[in-house]
Amino acid sequence: MLNRVPLKAKSLSRYVRSMGEEPIARIEQLAKAFQGARVLHINATSYGGGVAEILATLVPLMKGVGIDADWQVMYGTDDFYNVTKAMHNALQGMDVGWTPQMEQIYMEQSIFNVSQLEADYDFIIIHDPQPAAFLGLVEEHSPSGRQGKWIWRCHIDTSTPFAPVADFLFPLITDYDESVFTMADYVPAEQDLPHVTMMAPTIDPISLKNVPLSAETIDAIFDSYGMDHSRPTMCQISRFDPWKDPLGVIDAYRLVREKVPDLQLILAGSMASDDPEGMHYLHRTEMHAAGDPDIFILTNAQQVGAIEVNAFQAGSDVVVQKSTREGFGLTVSEALWKRTPVVGGNVGGITLQIKNGENGFLVDSVEACADACVEILTNPRRSEMMGEIGHQIVRNNYVMTVELERWLQLFALLSS
């Protein structure tokens, strides 16, 4: 058996206060057709990053509406994760030194994982490239063969992938019953993919990361990390990764400080087990900060968890997500839910969440990022209006009840 993540059921009734009764009633009606249905989610890590966060809520909610839902994590080695990190970068457009040996490492680890897989499920949802080979290997090696409906869920931007890696990965997807992408632009036109569904990731509005915090709690959390909540603050919450461009955020912060001299910057992110580059890029970020006492670079090693991230996003005057590539960027919706305007890279799923000039700004450079932050920091009335608009956009489109409803609709479509 793969590594099972033990999770208890979560009742939909807990969402009535934040979402109202109508969407809850729709979900309950859809779920009647899937009482006892066995659903398996498989990914590469149980913590760190957006996929793990989504599954930590989605699986309990599926259980809560009567589905026999399970989440299992594949086994990986350092060599495997180095290969899949290169694959991840390549699928987002980076040229990498892709070799037959890397393909061999990927397939050998996949074969081992499939030997541990119990595949007696009605729906098997494979998340991202790491376990993408599972279906073909099940068909080839499992005595009982393929069972249930198989869905590949891609959480990254694969619109312009590096061809050698795309030509290796996407043929592994062609036999899936459905592939799910965040937005249509991510579907590579050159690849022969199965039926495609669009589904944006979502946040959990009642999680510890997103519930309202008192001003006293926010003050206390800022103070515990040596920050002053009375000072203007910008922050970015994300992995330490070149695609998230924390170095560019620091450069933008330095430009903003020319007009907002008492500004402080928070860069916080968790270190994920499937991201071997994380420590290297964290070190680069620390070197780029050059000892500035008003730049706070924090990770889960400093006990930064859900409530701390909540406080940083809610207590900041502007949240930045200056990605140069981005599958979706859950941190954008998290900040908007807290009514904090966001300055985001004009890429990928960020463009779904930010309406330029309405609930934040979309930017393409360090200078544009700095100008947008100055506008928000020096115009509190406009900032407040942006925050209200942003909250409503997230409520209507990017909360977990919306995603659960879309999964049930997809199950119904595949069962018809």
Side-chain angles (χ1 to χ4, degrees), residues 261-276:
D262 54 344
L263 181 68
Q264 56 192 354
L265 171 65
I266 305 169
L267 292 170
S270 62
M271 311 305 290
S273 61
D274 63 340
D275 184 5

Side-chain angles (χ1 to χ4, degrees), residues 235 317-322 331-337 339-345 350 353-357 359-363 372-373 376 386-387:
C235 83
D317 300 280
V318 57
V319 166
V320 177
Q321 188 56 58
K322 198 191 165 302
T331 55
V332 174
S333 280
E334 290 166 4
L336 294 176
W337 178 254
R339 295 178 170 83
T340 305
V342 179
V343 176
I350 295 175
Q353 302 168 78
I354 296 178
K355 310 303 178 188
N356 194 40
N359 62 339
F361 295 97
L362 296 169
V363 298
C373 289
I376 291 169
M386 284 182 161

Side-chain angles (χ1 to χ4, degrees), residues 114 117 119 133-148 150 171-172 174-177:
V114 166
L117 178 64
F134 280 25
L135 174 57
L137 293 171
V138 164
E139 292 178 324
E140 183 178 350
H141 295 288
S142 174
S144 56
R146 173 186 188 141
Q147 297 183 36
W150 286 71
L172 303 174
T174 55
D175 286 340
Y176 279 75
D177 296 286

Side-chain angles (χ1 to χ4, degrees), residues 47-63:
Y47 65 91
V51 178
E53 277 197 31
I54 290 168
L55 293 180
T57 299
L58 180 61
V59 172
L61 276 178
M62 285 186 169
K63 289 176 178 285

Side-chain angles (χ1 to χ4, degrees), residues 87-337:
M87 179 182 285
H88 182 280
N89 288 336
L91 291 171
Q92 294 195 130
M94 181 184 291
D95 288 3
V96 300
W98 191 250
T99 67
Q101 183 184 10
M102 296 169 78
E103 295 180 6
Q104 181 179 354
I105 290 169
Y106 177 86
M107 293 305 297
E108 287 179 350
Q109 192 66 30
S110 298
I111 290 169
F112 171 75
N113 275 274
V114 166
S115 73
Q116 308 298 308
L117 178 64
E118 296 177 0
D120 184 19
Y121 289 86
D122 299 296
F123 300 95
I124 300 94
I125 304 166
I126 302 295
H127 292 267
D128 279 335
Q130 294 94 330
F134 280 25
L135 174 57
L137 293 171
V138 164
E139 292 178 324
E140 183 178 350
H141 295 288
S142 174
S144 56
R146 173 186 188 141
Q147 297 183 36
K149 300 293 185 180
W150 286 71
I151 302 163
W152 185 60
R153 173 56 167 116
C154 181
H155 294 270
I156 59 178
D157 178 353
T158 57
S159 55
T160 56
F162 180 52
V165 175
D167 292 343
F168 169 73
L169 176 73
F170 286 112
L172 303 174
I173 312 301
T174 55
D175 286 340
Y176 279 75
D177 296 286
E178 197 83 15
S179 56
V180 179
F181 290 81
T182 296
M183 54 195 295
D185 288 350
Y186 290 177
V187 183
E190 301 80 6
Q191 302 295 331
D192 181 22
L193 294 178
H195 298 288
V196 174
T197 293
M198 305 307 153
M199 189 186 305
T202 56
I203 65 168
D204 182 0
I206 65 170
S207 70
L208 191 58
K209 186 187 274 192
N210 294 309
V211 294
L213 299 177
S214 68
E216 291 79 11
T217 299
I218 295 172
D219 286 346
I221 290 172
F222 268 60
D223 185 64
S224 69
Y225 287 97
M227 299 178 291
D228 183 351
H229 188 214
S230 68
R231 291 173 56 184
T233 305
M234 61 186 284
C235 83
Q236 175 162 298
I237 309 292
S238 66
R239 288 190 188 191
F240 291 93
D241 180 301
W243 301 109
K244 311 299 184 184
D245 195 20
L247 309 188
V249 176
I250 292 173
D251 292 338
Y253 151 83
R254 287 172 173 150
L255 291 176
V256 176
R257 284 202 68 162
E258 295 175 5
K259 297 183 178 178
V260 186
D262 54 344
L263 181 68
Q264 56 192 354
L265 171 65
I266 305 169
L267 292 170
S270 62
M271 311 305 290
S273 61
D274 63 340
D275 184 5
E277 289 184 347
M279 289 302 298
H280 168 71
Y281 217 75
L282 170 62
H283 178 66
R284 285 195 61 189
T285 304
E286 291 170 338
M287 294 295 292
H288 199 64
D292 186 330
D294 291 322
I295 299 177
F296 299 86
I297 300 174
L298 304 168
T299 74
N300 40 338
Q302 287 85 36
Q303 306 304 309
V304 172
I307 194 169
E308 288 79 17
V309 169
N310 188 339
F312 297 158
Q313 292 171 328
S316 293
D317 300 280
V318 57
V319 166
V320 177
Q321 188 56 58
K322 198 191 165 302
S323 303
T324 56
R325 284 277 184 159
E326 187 64 74
F328 184 70
L330 285 171
T331 55
V332 174
S333 280
E334 290 166 4
L336 294 176
W337 178 254

Side-chain angles (χ1 to χ4, degrees), residues 13-27:
S13 63
R14 296 174 60 185
Y15 291 81
V16 172
R17 178 179 294 180
S18 59
M19 301 308 301
E21 294 184 357
E22 184 179 344
I24 306 306
R26 286 198 311 268
I27 292 169

